[in-house]
Amino acid sequence: MRTPLIAGNWKMHKTLAEARELVGGIREGIKGIGGVEVVICPPFHHLFAMAKAIDDSPVMLGAQNAHYEAQGAFTGEVSVPMLKDAGCTHVILGHSERRQYFAEDGPLLAKKVRAAVAGGLNAIFCVGETLQEREADRTRRIVERHISDVIKADVPAERLIIAYEPVWAIGTGRTATPDQAQEVHAFVRAMLASTYGQPTAEAVRILYGGSVKPGNAADLLAQPDIDGALVGGACLVPADFAAIIKAAGTWAAVSS
Ligand code: PEP
């Protein structure tokens, strides 16, 4: 059985005081919940402080981006060894906002994922279609292209986590139905199986992301190929994030 993973993408939110308050609330809210891995992904400049704030708790630390070079003249960028130095175990790569607003494309993302995994980070690699693409019945083709960008770069599956995030569901309050999400997750797992083999594909976590809230988390997490969630808006509210983690913990306990 795959351990569910709930990751919170803070995006460009929270001052330091607010970040400390949020982490305090999360720590309080998840007390007694087991069987779930929890990752928070604050903005870069909070990483060292948040590493301290989650010290002696089961919460892990992730970043929202990384450069593929270890060091060099890349103004404004942060590398994988720097993230490790700050206490990160995870990094989100290929988020649709990075693809859309910062023109990150497949070849670039493949280099980033390869560097992250080679550098010892777990890469949460985001894939997903726009509304226009879904309506044109191109969901599978788009997801296949995103996944094959990484596969072509010979990324080993061991530290790879996939997040299926339909772009039309991110921050919109519109969620994929559990069936819609499951269909794509099963497709992703089949793709992974054809490259890495079935046993390895069975071990890879595939998260769903897109307006996950306390009210829809349990139904999504109950799907056989949904192994957790990448959460945006709801991760900024401690009670909501904790409720999603609790739903994952309950599901893990029931299905083990
Ligand atoms: C995200 O940004 O990865 C995300 C899923 O956001 P939201 O939960 O707000 O839709």
Side-chain angles (χ1 to χ4, degrees):
M1 160 156 173
R2 296 175 289 269
T3 304
L5 169 68
I6 305 294
N9 176 11
W10 293 15
K11 309 194 184 186
M12 197 172 70
H13 291 288
K14 303 293 177 187
T15 62
L16 182 56
E18 290 166 348
R20 289 203 165 108
E21 198 181 323
L22 174 57
V23 168
I26 293 168
R27 289 188 59 157
E28 196 54 38
I30 64 170
K31 273 189 185 150
I33 303 172
V36 189
E37 290 181 10
V38 178
V39 182
I40 56 164
C41 303
F44 285 137
H45 74 299
H46 288 330
L47 288 175
F48 278 95
M50 291 306 102
K52 260 194 176 164
I54 57 172
D55 197 23
D56 73 17
S57 90
V59 179
M60 294 179 281
L61 191 65
Q64 299 172 22
N65 189 19
H67 197 272
Y68 56 84
E69 291 289 355
Q71 60 184 350
F74 300 102
T75 302
E77 292 291 322
V78 178
S79 73
V80 169
M82 291 168 181
L83 297 180
K84 294 260 301 180
D85 201 28
C88 288
T89 49
H90 292 71
V91 60
I92 300 170
L93 294 168
H95 192 281
S96 63
E97 288 154 15
R98 299 292 319 171
R99 293 178 190 265
Q100 187 183 348
Y101 304 133
F102 302 96
E104 296 199 354
D105 61 10
L108 174 71
L109 291 169
K111 286 204 263 185
K112 288 185 174 207
V113 175
R114 196 171 45 200
V117 167
L121 290 177
N122 298 290
I124 302 176
F125 179 60
C126 304
V127 304
E129 80 289 359
T130 63
L131 184 58
Q132 207 180 16
E133 288 160 346
R134 174 161 280 265
E135 285 175 349
D137 205 16
R138 294 179 61 221
T139 297
R140 284 182 179 227
R141 210 171 325 154
I142 298 301
V143 169
E144 184 171 24
R145 198 178 68 208
H146 290 165
I147 300 273
S148 57
D149 286 334
V150 161
I151 286 175
K152 273 189 270 171
D154 285 333
V155 172
E158 281 67 32
R159 288 201 201 92
L160 187 60
I161 297 163
I162 305 292
Y164 169 56
E165 298 209 309
V167 180
W168 48 271
I170 296 177
T172 58
R174 256 185 96 172
T175 318
T177 64
D179 286 348
Q180 282 174 323
Q182 167 58 27
E183 192 200 329
V184 180
H185 282 231
F187 173 69
V188 170
R189 198 171 310 282
M191 249 195 106
L192 296 174
S194 68
T195 303
Y196 298 110
Q198 194 67 35
T200 301
E202 288 296 337
V204 174
R205 261 93 56 95
I206 307 174
L207 315 182
Y208 169 78
S211 298
V212 175
K213 307 278 179 224
N216 58 26
D219 287 346
L220 288 159
L221 293 164
Q223 297 300 312
D225 287 295
I226 299 185
D227 308 314
L230 180 54
V231 184
C235 83
L236 301 173
V237 181
D240 288 358
F241 194 50
I244 294 167
I245 294 163
K246 191 171 181 188
T250 304
W251 176 249
V254 169
S255 55
S256 68

